[in-house]
Amino acid sequence: MAKKVVSDLNLKGKKVLIRVDFNVPMKDGVITDDTRIRAALPTVKYVLDNGGKAIVFSHLGRIKKAEDLAKGDMTPVAHHFEELLGHKVVFVNATRGKELEDAIAKMQEGDVVMFQNTRYEDLEGKKESSNDPELGAYWASLGDVFVNDAFGTAHRAHASNVGIASHIKESAAGFLLEKEIKFIGGAVDNPVHPYVAILGGAKVSDKIGVISELVKKADKILIGGGMMFTFLKALGHNIGKSLCEDDKLDLAKELLKEADGKIVLPVDTVCAKEFADVSGEVKDVNAMASDDMGLDIGPKTLELFTNELKSAKTVVWNGPMGVFEMKNFEAGTLGVCEAIAHLDGATTIVGGGDSVAAVEKLGYAEKFSHVSTGGGASLEYLEGKALPGITCLSEK
Ligand code: ADP
Ligand code: MG
């Protein structure tokens, strides 16, 4: 069922609660990457341009003890947000109470109020993260409608998403969340075939849910990264010192059987003798020595994967093909970026914290139809799980 989007709401004169993801990386009180703040601007601007009063809030890091409060202080984020928005932001250094309520009462159409880190409410009793009903009801009481634009926390039921939505009449997705629903939700529910999935990354155990889901839905599953070795070992290959989860060998066998030929495994790998950025040696997967450690897919595998991708109409990618953080083992990941960049008329999606970092580092982010913004949330969504931060929103 389709969820309401901010553009479906009548915002004129309304107090609009907007849950954004301003969980930006900071060093010594300075924002080191403001991508997330920039990404939220279209939704906030839309609300302001349509006569709404924007009440903006987010979490920042984790708050477990009193010493975490200073690190999680949103003041510098609010200043930066004000600059980027080019519009006055009234920042209230509280998550509830008279000062906040007064600031909201004074708002005119087109005004912006931002309040302190929602996780300040975690300090005593984890109220935000455990979706304390009193807190959700209180925040809901501050506004007329709710817009959720924070995908990164959509896989969790917190007071600032599910709590508010369940205590307010109308709620909708912001434009960022709408994009995630359109692309990842679209690939999960309604992929255009041929649908090719590329999986990699460190461990099979992190990705069991995604692999099982994709085995059911995709036409081909190309497996690289550290997880390839558990599959190769399951088939009887000597994988030397490569990453392997011996307790997942049976699962790997089962998945291979279930996939019935859909899983495509590497035929060669770039090996080193230690986990270090040294120049590697390309070996066929059936020629690895006992002291070899496979740290990337090899050139023949890249060619094989590139060919499998050629006719794809939907591509979902999670997990780097090798240890892309090391120059000597980035070629596989780079090659897959290149192959995807050359696809015509395909919907291409990359998700996962390290995968997105790899695509950005290698300069290919623009080439994808969609770069998913939430690490854990992207994975759970790809697994076909319902995300509470989405399901809580009003239907169209
Ligand atoms: P994501 O965050 O995109 O879901 P993961 O966290 O599963 O991805 O995996 C990313 C990590 O996997 C990277 O740090 C990368 O170095 C590592 N990795 C990829 N291939 C290998 C390999 N062959 N051996 C060891 N680690 C690998
Ligand atoms: Mg990761």
Side-chain angles (χ1 to χ4, degrees):
M1 244 173 290
K3 294 294 180 183
K4 275 192 185 167
V5 178
V6 59
S7 46
D8 295 320
L9 303 177
N10 173 12
L11 299 163
K12 181 97 181 123
K14 298 268 177 67
K15 288 174 284 181
V16 187
L17 295 160
I18 312 176
R19 172 51 158 114
V20 292
D21 180 0
F22 284 176
N23 185 32
V24 288
M26 307 247 282
K27 201 164 183 257
D28 307 322
V30 179
I31 298 162
T32 54
D33 180 359
D34 64 3
T35 310
R36 286 181 170 170
I37 306 178
R38 290 176 190 278
L41 298 178
T43 297
V44 177
K45 282 191 174 143
Y46 182 87
V47 168
L48 302 180
D49 290 347
N50 286 277
K53 306 169 182 176
I55 306 162
V56 176
F57 49 97
S58 170
H59 77 286
L60 178 61
R62 288 210 176 107
I63 308 289
K64 289 186 175 155
K65 43 190 190 324
E67 297 90 89
D68 298 335
L69 292 173
K71 257 194 299 177
D73 181 6
M74 279 284 186
T75 311
V77 178
H79 283 309
H80 196 69
F81 171 44
E82 180 173 70
E83 260 169 45
L84 292 176
L85 189 63
H87 189 294
K88 171 94 192 129
V89 171
V90 175
F91 179 66
V92 178
N93 182 12
T95 50
R96 58 167 86 210
K98 186 161 180 337
E99 193 196 341
L100 175 60
E101 290 157 25
D102 287 350
I104 293 172
K106 274 199 233 125
M107 291 176 87
Q108 305 286 319
E109 287 179 16
D111 282 354
V112 185
V113 164
M114 178 170 156
F115 65 79
Q116 188 50 281
N117 186 348
T118 55
R119 289 200 185 154
Y120 271 33
E121 291 283 349
D122 277 354
L123 191 60
E124 279 159 38
K126 283 201 143 256
K127 294 201 170 79
E128 153 76 325
S129 299
S130 69
N131 188 14
D132 176 78
E134 183 271 332
L135 181 59
Y138 172 72
W139 280 337
S141 76
L142 300 175
D144 301 310
V145 290
F146 173 56
V147 173
N148 188 15
D149 213 14
F151 180 66
T153 47
H155 58 318
R156 303 278 178 256
H158 288 171
S160 65
N161 54 18
V162 173
I164 298 177
S166 38
H167 289 99
I168 207 161
K169 266 225 213 81
E170 200 178 25
S171 50
F175 295 125
L176 270 182
L177 196 64
E178 180 193 28
K179 206 170 167 237
E180 298 283 356
I181 297 172
K182 179 178 158 206
F183 282 100
I184 303 194
V188 169
D189 296 334
N190 224 341
V192 181
H193 294 270
Y195 175 10
V196 180
I198 310 162
L199 291 173
K203 293 196 277 176
V204 179
S205 50
D206 292 341
K207 307 283 168 77
I208 295 170
V210 186
I211 308 173
S212 319
E213 170 74 13
L214 291 171
V215 162
K216 280 182 247 153
K217 300 241 166 96
D219 301 299
K220 279 283 159 67
I221 303 141
L222 319 179
I223 295 187
M227 67 160 74
M228 70 193 229
F229 297 104
T230 301
F231 284 91
L232 289 170
K233 186 165 176 182
L235 290 175
H237 290 281
N238 173 19
I239 57 160
K241 294 192 293 182
S242 307
L243 208 64
C244 181
E245 291 165 279
D246 286 314
D247 60 330
K248 295 288 174 291
L249 290 172
D250 288 337
L251 175 82
K253 278 182 206 156
E254 253 168 63
L255 287 166
L256 285 165
K257 194 165 154 224
E258 201 185 320
D260 196 21
K262 283 188 199 173
I263 291 183
V264 182
L265 288 171
V267 290
D268 59 352
T269 165
V270 186
C271 297
K273 300 291 180 194
E274 56 183 332
F275 190 80
D277 197 0
V278 291
S279 119
E281 190 185 343
V282 176
K283 295 202 172 178
D284 281 357
V285 293
N286 49 22
M288 287 178 79
S290 299
D291 60 346
D292 277 331
M293 189 185 281
L295 296 177
D296 196 7
I297 56 171
K300 279 191 240 161
T301 305
L302 183 57
E303 206 184 316
L304 179 69
F305 285 6
T306 302
N307 269 325
E308 293 288 357
L309 281 164
K310 273 194 180 126
S311 61
K313 285 289 168 258
T314 303
V315 178
V316 164
W317 181 13
N318 170 262
M321 294 294 96
V323 186
F324 73 94
E325 297 92 338
M326 300 181 187
K327 201 82 196 137
N328 282 292
F329 305 103
E330 68 171 25
T333 304
L334 186 64
V336 166
C337 281
E338 191 62 31
I340 291 174
H342 284 108
L343 294 181
D344 235 357
T347 300
T348 56
I349 301 164
V350 58
D354 293 294
S355 312
V356 170
V359 163
E360 277 169 358
K361 180 182 171 210
L362 300 170
Y364 281 82
E366 313 284 277
K367 303 284 185 189
F368 284 79
S369 314
H370 183 57
V371 177
S372 182
T373 51
S378 313
L379 273 180
E380 289 197 21
Y381 206 12
L382 282 175
E383 281 174 38
K385 284 191 188 157
L387 304 192
I390 294 175
T391 42
C392 70
L393 303 174
S394 310
E395 302 290 341
K396 275 208 196 210

